[in-house]
Amino acid sequence: QIQLVESGGGLVQAGGSLNVSCVASGRFFTSYAVGWFRQAQGKEREFVAAISRGGGNTHYGDSVKGRFTISRDNVKNTVYLQMNSLKPEDTAVYTCAAGGVPTSTVRHYSYWGRGTQVTVSS
């Protein structure tokens, strides 16, 4: 079992950048793929990005392709989400999750963090 804690959220102007982190505690972090999801107020949860156990495979939601980059450092038990060219519609709570495969499907993830708020002002 692992625990996930997100950090790095905050307020940024449109066009700016932000890097959020997901730190895992517990054993066998390298056994898990990690995904990022976001949920804006009043909207459904949306897939953002996912990365495989070794970091060699990544997947992105259509709305963030070309702007966001997911990466991981297995020595530091950390997954990063670098967000560039931010838009007001990127405003949401960003949550990381760990599971068996790097998928956009929520049910494939067993462990979830509590999220970090990202707010993009226009």
Side-chain angles (χ1 to χ4, degrees), residues 18-35:
L18 208 58
N19 193 336
V20 293
S21 302
C22 171
V23 179
S25 60
R27 303 178 66 185
F28 308 121
F29 175 66
T30 54
S31 298
Y32 297 96
V34 175

Side-chain angles (χ1 to χ4, degrees), residues 15 60 65 75 102 108 121:
Y60 296 92
K65 281 181 182 176
V75 174
H108 286 160
S121 63

Side-chain angles (χ1 to χ4, degrees), residues 8-121:
L11 175 64
V12 63
Q13 288 188 333
S17 298
L18 208 58
N19 193 336
V20 293
S21 302
C22 171
V23 179
S25 60
R27 303 178 66 185
F28 308 121
F29 175 66
T30 54
S31 298
Y32 297 96
V34 175
W36 281 98
F37 293 81
R38 68 185 183 185
Q39 188 165 18
Q41 194 169 8
K43 295 188 177 181
E44 294 186 354
R45 183 159 44 192
E46 177 187 12
F47 169 71
V48 176
I51 190 166
S52 60
R53 301 169 187 179
N57 292 319
T58 57
H59 305 281
Y60 296 92
D62 289 341
S63 62
V64 306
K65 281 181 182 176
R67 300 188 298 123
F68 290 13
T69 302
I70 189 171
S71 62
R72 68 189 292 165
D73 184 336
N74 285 340
V75 174
K76 295 182 178 180
N77 279 12
T78 303
V79 172
Y80 305 96
L81 183 68
Q82 176 66 42
M83 303 183 288
N84 298 328
S85 302
L86 283 162
K87 306 174 182 179
E89 50 264 43
D90 293 318
T91 296
V93 175
Y94 285 72
T95 305
C96 63
V101 292
T103 176
S104 61
T105 306
V106 169
R107 64 182 175 85
H108 286 160
Y109 292 92
S110 301
Y111 304 103
W112 293 79
R114 300 187 68 175
T116 184
Q117 175 70 47
V118 172
T119 303
V120 184
S121 63

